[in-house]
Amino acid sequence: MPGPLHIRDSVVVPEAELAWRFSRSSGPGGQGVNTTDSRVELSFNVATTTALEPALKSRAIERLGSRLVDGVITIAASEFRSQLRNREAAEMRLAQLIREAIAPPPRKRRPTKPSRGAVERRLTAKKQRSDLKRLRRTDG
């Protein structure tokens, strides 16, 4: 469990750059819910990390802008009763979030136009439909 966070093959976040906080979780847990710190908060400073090269870092900061507070992103996990499972869930969510944030932008759409045959088929179908409706009218 403890150790570096693998984002993808070329990107690994060192354990020292991850900050963990634990607190009591609301929700199911029976008698232990008031005594165990099963809620997990995982914080990662995107602005000062050494794990991302400058181009990826700027892309991540731009895409995560609304979720960052002073360059830090925080993930909270409390869906499980076990702190260990919540830690795993938080790590998985952070890795997925960073993976999506540093992904290359999608290719630009190359505009196309319909072929001449497609235009002719569409106009022919419209004409047939129009004729059918015209023949149905009483004054037809």
Side-chain angles (χ1 to χ4, degrees):
M1 177 72 197
L5 179 63
H6 295 277
I7 306 297
R8 57 182 204 202
D9 294 339
S10 60
V11 180
V12 178
V13 177
E15 183 181 1
E17 293 187 8
L18 300 174
W20 296 92
R21 281 186 52 213
F22 306 101
S23 59
R24 293 195 180 122
S25 177
S26 63
Q31 294 173 335
V33 76
N34 296 326
T35 59
T36 58
D37 291 339
S38 60
R39 182 175 185 270
V40 171
E41 282 185 14
L42 175 58
S43 297
F44 173 60
N45 194 331
V46 181
T48 62
T49 186
T50 58
L52 299 174
E53 56 192 53
L56 295 179
K57 190 186 298 189
S58 64
R59 189 183 298 162
I61 290 172
E62 179 184 327
R63 290 186 180 168
L64 295 172
S66 61
R67 293 196 58 173
L68 295 177
V69 177
D70 296 330
V72 177
I73 187 159
T74 303
I75 304 289
S78 62
E79 55 265 20
F80 299 106
R81 288 175 58 173
S82 158
Q83 184 188 102
L84 180 64
R85 289 189 62 194
N86 282 332
R87 284 177 70 134
E88 291 169 351
E91 275 190 341
M92 284 177 32
R93 286 207 303 250
L94 178 64
Q96 184 63 31
L97 202 64
I98 299 296
R99 203 173 294 123
E100 290 171 2
I102 64 174
R107 284 189 181 161
K108 277 206 153 183
R109 180 189 172 277
R110 191 173 357 156
T112 59
K113 65 180 192 178
S115 66
R116 183 184 298 155
V119 171
E120 288 174 5
R121 285 191 300 273
R122 182 179 63 86
L123 293 176
T124 304
K126 285 176 68 144
K127 180 73 174 149
Q128 287 174 347
R129 188 77 182 154
S130 169
D131 290 343
L132 178 71
K133 289 187 171 193
R134 184 178 46 78
L135 290 173
R136 282 187 196 150
R137 290 192 298 228
T138 55
D139 59 346

